[in-house]
Amino acid sequence: MKGDPVSFKVRIREWMHNHREEGTSLLQDMVRLPSTQGNEREVQLLIAGKLRGLGMDVEVWEPDGEALEAHPFFYSPRSRFIGSPNVVGIWRGSGGGRSIILNGHMDVVPEGDAGQWHDDPFSGKVADGKLFGRGATDMKGGIASLLLAVQAVRELGIRLKGDIIFQSVIEEESGGAGTLAAILKGYKADAALIPEPTNLRIFPKQQGSMWFRIEVKGRSAHGGTRYEGVSAIDMSMAVIAHIRELEETRNATVSDPLYASNPIPFPINIGVIKGGNWPSSVPDTVTLEGRFGVAPEEKLEQAKEEMIRWMERLKEKDPWFEEHPPAVEWFGARWVPGSVSLEHTFIRTLSEQYREVLLQEPVIEASPWGTDGGLLTLLAETPCIVFGPGVTEAAHYPNEYIKLDHVFEAAEIIALTLIEWCGLEGKGDGDGD
Amino acid sequence: MKGDPVSFKVRIREWMHNHREEGTSLLQDMVRLPSTQGNEREVQLLIAGKLRGLGMDVEVWEPDGEALEAHPFFYSPRSRFIGSPNVVGIWRGSGGGRSIILNGHMDVVPEGDAGQWHDDPFSGKVADGKLFGRGATDMKGGIASLLLAVQAVRELGIRLKGDIIFQSVIEEESGGAGTLAAILKGYKADAALIPEPTNLRIFPKQQGSMWFRIEVKGRSAHGGTRYEGVSAIDMSMAVIAHIRELEETRNATVSDPLYASNPIPFPINIGVIKGGNWPSSVPDTVTLEGRFGVAPEEKLEQAKEEMIRWMERLKEKDPWFEEHPPAVEWFGARWVPGSVSLEHTFIRTLSEQYREVLLQEPVIEASPWGTDGGLLTLLAETPCIVFGPGVTEAAHYPNEYIKLDHVFEAAEIIALTLIEWCGLEGKGDGDGD
């Protein structure tokens, strides 16, 4: 740490300690508002108010669906965003420093089967040092870390040279239209940080992903003579087994050491199945929906082609597929993969603050999921690193939670990173010290 | 044939020949009204009008859901039948003869994927001697045969001793509540005939069936780290494979010669699958719905117990099922199995008329599906035989059809059977001649 290193580190830690209750309460407030797709407004107004309270210039706007639809990287199951605003807050530096985008999505996936939750899925309950609720880890906990970091720097009277651009976006879970809308507004910076749940690991590479839909055909018949029909459910099992083989094939060749500890670097997930409409009939159609993981250096189009070619080989498994090839459609969400060089200064800066705060070496890995970072890196020319307090084992699960200690540790590391990266007013370039 | 055998046979054939266009048109009218569950009213009013035109005493009533619900053999996904009337028409004989119930259901299963139909699913189109549309074979074609048979006897001035009770019922496809309601009204007879699609074979035994629903649990996770969850879709595949084994076990021991030509006498059909709600999430629940075939001599409760015991063995396949046993529920429809002795006089009578008309031996087999005949045989003490013009290969399929020749052949056989079974006024007992 340059400037007044010990002092900053100590003062920020002390600030976090004194704001433990306030920060927890802020996160509870966010989790208790169920901001699933289409229901983002209340959380966004809460965050906008918080940013204004920090003295930021705040912009709140509902993305223009028509304008977005014209963009090749737009993907969403919807094209109207009325009632679903984006929020950006800017804290302008005094000039001469490096700017940073702090980006977090506040949309959450649905809670799923409520019966599998021990409490209300949006309880915000605190127990054993954890805060529970849909979105706690993915990624309102990360947003809380960002807000705490900015607030700490601000309230400690630290003045930075570079701009801080805080983006609270919608639609990450459905393809990144919120971040895309912010990029199209012209927001860019010298680096970006997204505190998605990495369990405090640093992810310079991130998996991309795409949603697919497969329609598997059967031939209907009366269930009492089911042997006269062809069950689309049986056929969908063959399709799923075939897709498993593609997943194995694609992952067998991964040699990137950043994925060394990942059992399936680029999974193909079947998330939804639906078919048939009568218990006594042999079902004639089954629809599968899933997520296709794309490697950081892979192009989306390459991955699509590989999938399509693979599906054409289904007929080798069962002659039924020769005449009834399942139709593959790419729909809804896609996340562009991203990769920032391991030599990038921002990784070094973040890693140094990690060591300062946690007194150990950071783990640098590749992200097992897509984030909006791919869009920032590719379209906004803003190299994006993913680093946050949640854990993927909790994301999208029932009883999602986040460890509060991690929220405040991440906030400390991020606050110090802001100071180091953006530079102290009146000091030389932090990077050069 | 007794009385005036050659004359009756010739006159009825001639009548059918002269009413070919009228009969085809009647069947078209019925098929063009999509009488799926809840939409039965228009077809029923059409049939009631037809029966009145034949001089029958007609009763039209909406079954009382509350009264039905109290009955142990009531099964339906609904308990209100407003807008879904039953129709019964009675042609009273002069006395001293045997009575007969002619029973047909006019409800049809949904059309399924309309894209697999060459025409509108309710077109009633005639081509190549076939009439197309949902319900043509199952079983409006059979109802047309019944109506033509009664009309022929009536219009030829033939007067019978026994009563003819014509029942056009709802709900056969969902568990038989229509026929149950008719039975609870007190309708019974010395024999019953249901012209379900047997392809002109005679079925003295009929399979019963029950609907089941199975909820298979998984554990949700983010699709990018799907290995951290347990896919309810993968688990449902294990459940389906396990059920296939039960089907094999149950059918391996069938020795009844009436099932000799049936590849799977008592199938277990999985008709509906539904699970997951997000492409990027590992699904935590899959629901399966299906139909469990029950042997003619089997009790429904026996069959249920066998299924439940079998499902308990799932944990031998995967320890996951030890802690997450799939829940099995019996819901909606059940059809009581039925069996009439091969020695019963009505089978002999029907077989004789079959030989008279088609000049060949009838095929006597067991039905591969449940019908309302089980209820008639068991609850109304009315031995019921299933014999009709449709083919099961067309029932519940897209492009369902019926061969018009078979509709009129069945009508001829049934008309002669009515004369023989109910007896001619002024003649001795037909059976004794």
Side-chain angles (χ1 to χ4, degrees):
Chain A
M1 179 59 61
K2 329 300 172 306
D4 198 350
V6 176
S7 171
F8 280 145
K9 185 177 151 186
V10 170
R11 286 162 67 199
I12 283 174
R13 176 157 297 174
E14 195 177 77
W15 188 95
M16 291 295 165
H17 181 77
N18 294 336
H19 291 77
R20 182 102 184 175
E21 204 173 319
E22 182 186 328
T24 303
S25 177
L26 170 67
L27 178 52
Q28 276 183 320
D29 288 347
M30 289 195 285
V31 168
R32 285 172 180 164
L33 296 171
S35 50
T36 49
Q37 192 178 48
N39 303 298
E40 305 91 341
R41 189 178 163 78
E42 282 189 85
V43 176
Q44 288 293 57
L45 295 185
L46 177 77
I47 292 171
K50 181 78 189 167
L51 297 176
R52 282 196 195 94
L54 293 175
M56 285 183 155
D57 291 339
V58 175
E59 183 176 19
V60 178
W61 81 100
E62 289 160 345
D64 176 350
E66 274 184 43
L68 285 175
E69 276 191 310
H71 196 281
F73 282 88
F74 170 74
Y75 297 106
S76 172
R78 58 177 174 164
S79 60
R80 279 171 57 89
F81 300 94
I82 305 303
S84 300
N86 258 348
V87 171
V88 169
I90 300 183
W91 180 9
R92 286 187 211 289
S94 58
R98 288 174 295 209
S99 59
I100 188 165
I101 286 174
L102 303 175
N103 175 295
H105 70 85
M106 42 59 64
D107 57 314
V108 300
V109 297
E111 65 272 29
D113 176 8
Q116 294 199 33
W117 289 77
H118 303 141
D119 286 295
D120 181 293
F122 299 97
S123 72
K125 180 178 168 179
V126 174
D128 298 327
K130 296 172 179 170
L131 191 150
F132 289 85
R134 171 59 78 232
T137 215
D138 184 11
M139 58 170 284
K140 289 173 177 172
I143 291 178
S145 296
L146 294 181
L147 288 168
L148 287 165
V150 175
Q151 187 178 351
V153 173
R154 188 94 185 184
E155 292 188 355
L156 291 174
I158 301 166
R159 305 188 59 175
L160 302 177
K161 292 194 286 188
D163 297 344
I164 295 176
I165 302 166
F166 193 108
Q167 303 180 333
S168 176
V169 298
I170 62 169
E171 290 288 295
E172 193 277 342
E173 297 288 0
S174 318
T179 289
L180 179 61
I183 291 170
L184 296 182
K185 281 256 176 192
Y187 292 113
K188 56 190 297 186
D190 295 315
L193 176 73
I194 300 184
E196 289 268 18
T198 70
N199 198 16
L200 301 180
R201 290 167 296 178
I202 295 171
F203 289 176
K205 294 190 183 190
Q206 42 192 313
Q207 192 179 135
S209 63
M210 310 180 283
W211 283 2
F212 59 86
R213 184 181 289 131
I214 301 178
E215 196 171 273
V216 185
K217 288 290 176 193
R219 193 179 57 230
S220 192
H222 189 291
T225 50
R226 70 167 189 82
Y227 40 84
E228 291 171 353
V230 175
S231 165
I233 294 176
D234 292 350
M235 288 300 125
S236 73
M237 290 187 183
V239 170
I240 291 172
H242 189 64
I243 290 174
R244 279 280 169 282
E245 285 178 36
L246 174 60
E247 183 188 64
E248 279 165 29
T249 304
R250 281 171 56 81
N251 285 283
T253 56
V254 175
S255 58
D256 188 333
L258 290 194
Y259 282 101
S261 68
N262 190 317
I264 310 175
F266 314 120
I268 308 178
N269 180 65
I270 308 289
V272 179
I273 189 167
K274 192 170 185 316
N277 54 17
W278 200 255
S280 294
S281 291
V282 175
D284 58 13
T285 308
V286 164
T287 303
L288 304 172
E289 290 180 0
R291 172 198 180 277
F292 194 100
V294 180
E297 289 80 14
E298 200 174 14
K299 295 257 183 296
L300 295 181
E301 291 306 319
Q302 286 174 339
K304 277 189 209 174
E305 267 170 44
E306 188 173 358
M307 172 76 158
I308 298 296
R309 278 201 312 275
W310 187 263
M311 292 298 285
E312 282 166 3
R313 293 180 54 190
L314 255 175
K315 61 192 174 201
E316 298 165 18
K317 303 274 171 65
D318 191 319
W320 172 261
F321 295 114
E322 177 91 60
E323 284 195 29
H324 306 84
V328 180
E329 179 193 350
W330 305 95
F331 79 109
R334 303 183 202 182
W335 290 262
V336 183
S339 179
V340 172
S341 159
L342 294 182
E343 313 305 320
H344 196 282
T345 318
F346 186 56
I347 299 182
R348 211 180 70 204
T349 305
L350 181 61
S351 300
E352 279 168 7
Q353 311 321 313
Y354 182 99
R355 283 185 210 101
E356 285 287 334
V357 172
L358 296 179
L359 307 175
Q360 62 187 22
E361 272 303 302
V363 176
I364 298 182
E365 281 186 359
S367 144
W369 17 254
T371 74
D372 284 351
L375 286 172
L376 287 166
T377 304
L378 189 73
L379 294 184
E381 294 168 336
T382 302
C384 182
I385 302 298
V386 181
F387 164 79
V391 291
T392 56
E393 302 91 278
H396 295 216
Y397 278 79
N399 306 307
E400 180 175 343
Y401 68 91
I402 193 161
K403 287 187 184 165
L404 287 166
D405 278 351
H406 288 185
V407 172
F408 290 93
E409 283 165 11
E412 262 185 77
I413 295 166
I414 294 167
L416 292 173
T417 299
L418 292 177
I419 297 168
E420 179 65 19
W421 180 256
C422 298
L424 280 172
E425 193 181 358
K427 294 269 172 185
D429 185 343
D431 188 42
D433 285 0
Chain B
M1 179 60 62
K2 329 300 172 307
D4 199 350
V6 177
S7 171
F8 280 143
K9 185 178 151 185
V10 169
R11 286 162 67 199
I12 283 172
R13 175 156 299 174
E14 195 176 78
W15 188 94
M16 291 295 165
H17 182 77
N18 293 336
H19 290 76
R20 181 101 184 177
E21 205 172 317
E22 181 186 327
T24 302
S25 178
L26 169 68
L27 178 52
Q28 275 182 321
D29 289 347
M30 289 194 286
V31 168
R32 284 172 180 164
L33 295 171
S35 50
T36 49
Q37 192 178 48
N39 303 299
E40 304 91 341
R41 188 178 163 80
E42 282 189 85
V43 176
Q44 288 292 56
L45 295 185
L46 178 76
I47 292 170
K50 182 77 188 166
L51 296 176
R52 282 195 197 95
L54 293 175
M56 284 182 155
D57 291 338
V58 175
E59 183 176 20
V60 179
W61 81 99
E62 290 160 343
D64 175 350
E66 274 184 42
L68 285 174
E69 275 192 312
H71 195 281
F73 281 87
F74 170 74
Y75 298 105
S76 173
R78 59 177 173 163
S79 61
R80 279 171 58 88
F81 300 94
I82 306 302
S84 300
N86 258 347
V87 172
V88 169
I90 301 183
W91 181 9
R92 287 186 210 290
S94 58
R98 287 175 297 210
S99 59
I100 188 166
I101 286 173
L102 303 174
N103 174 295
H105 71 83
M106 42 60 64
D107 56 314
V108 301
V109 297
E111 65 273 28
D113 176 9
Q116 294 199 33
W117 289 77
H118 302 142
D119 285 296
D120 181 294
F122 299 96
S123 71
K125 180 178 169 180
V126 174
D128 299 328
K130 296 172 180 170
L131 191 150
F132 290 85
R134 171 59 79 232
T137 214
D138 184 12
M139 59 170 284
K140 290 172 176 173
I143 292 177
S145 297
L146 294 181
L147 290 168
L148 287 165
V150 174
Q151 187 178 351
V153 173
R154 188 95 186 187
E155 294 189 354
L156 291 174
I158 301 166
R159 305 189 58 176
L160 302 176
K161 291 193 287 187
D163 296 345
I164 294 176
I165 302 166
F166 192 109
Q167 303 180 333
S168 175
V169 297
I170 62 169
E171 289 288 295
E172 193 277 342
E173 297 288 358
S174 318
T179 289
L180 178 62
I183 291 170
L184 296 182
K185 282 254 176 192
Y187 293 112
K188 57 191 294 185
D190 296 314
L193 176 74
I194 301 184
E196 289 268 18
T198 69
N199 198 16
L200 300 181
R201 290 166 296 177
I202 295 171
F203 288 176
K205 293 191 183 186
Q206 42 192 312
Q207 192 181 134
S209 62
M210 310 180 283
W211 282 2
F212 58 87
R213 183 182 289 132
I214 301 178
E215 196 171 274
V216 185
K217 288 291 177 191
R219 193 178 58 230
S220 192
H222 189 289
T225 50
R226 70 168 190 80
Y227 39 84
E228 292 171 353
V230 174
S231 165
I233 293 176
D234 291 351
M235 289 299 126
S236 72
M237 291 187 181
V239 170
I240 291 172
H242 189 64
I243 290 173
R244 279 282 170 281
E245 285 178 36
L246 174 60
E247 183 187 63
E248 280 165 28
T249 305
R250 281 172 55 81
N251 284 284
T253 56
V254 175
S255 58
D256 188 333
L258 291 194
Y259 282 101
S261 68
N262 190 316
I264 310 175
F266 314 119
I268 308 177
N269 181 65
I270 309 289
V272 179
I273 190 167
K274 192 171 185 316
N277 53 17
W278 199 256
S280 294
S281 291
V282 174
D284 58 12
T285 309
V286 165
T287 303
L288 305 171
E289 290 180 1
R291 172 198 181 277
F292 194 98
V294 181
E297 289 80 14
E298 199 174 16
K299 295 257 183 297
L300 295 181
E301 291 305 319
Q302 285 174 340
K304 277 189 208 173
E305 266 171 45
E306 188 175 357
M307 172 76 158
I308 297 297
R309 279 200 313 274
W310 187 264
M311 292 298 285
E312 281 166 4
R313 293 180 53 190
L314 255 175
K315 61 192 174 199
E316 297 166 17
K317 302 274 172 64
D318 191 319
W320 173 260
F321 295 115
E322 176 92 60
E323 285 194 28
H324 306 85
V328 181
E329 179 193 350
W330 304 95
F331 78 108
R334 304 184 200 180
W335 291 262
V336 183
S339 180
V340 171
S341 160
L342 295 181
E343 312 306 320
H344 195 283
T345 317
F346 186 57
I347 299 182
R348 212 181 68 204
T349 304
L350 180 62
S351 299
E352 278 168 7
Q353 312 320 313
Y354 182 98
R355 283 184 211 101
E356 284 288 332
V357 172
L358 295 178
L359 307 174
Q360 61 187 23
E361 272 303 302
V363 175
I364 299 182
E365 280 185 359
S367 143
W369 18 253
T371 75
D372 284 352
L375 286 172
L376 287 166
T377 304
L378 189 72
L379 295 184
E381 294 168 336
T382 302
C384 181
I385 302 299
V386 181
F387 164 77
V391 291
T392 56
E393 303 90 279
H396 296 216
Y397 278 79
N399 307 307
E400 180 175 343
Y401 69 90
I402 193 160
K403 287 187 184 165
L404 287 167
D405 279 350
H406 287 185
V407 172
F408 291 93
E409 283 165 10
E412 262 185 79
I413 295 166
I414 294 167
L416 293 172
T417 298
L418 293 177
I419 297 168
E420 178 64 20
W421 180 256
C422 299
L424 280 173
E425 194 182 356
K427 295 267 174 184
D429 184 343
D431 188 41
D433 284 359

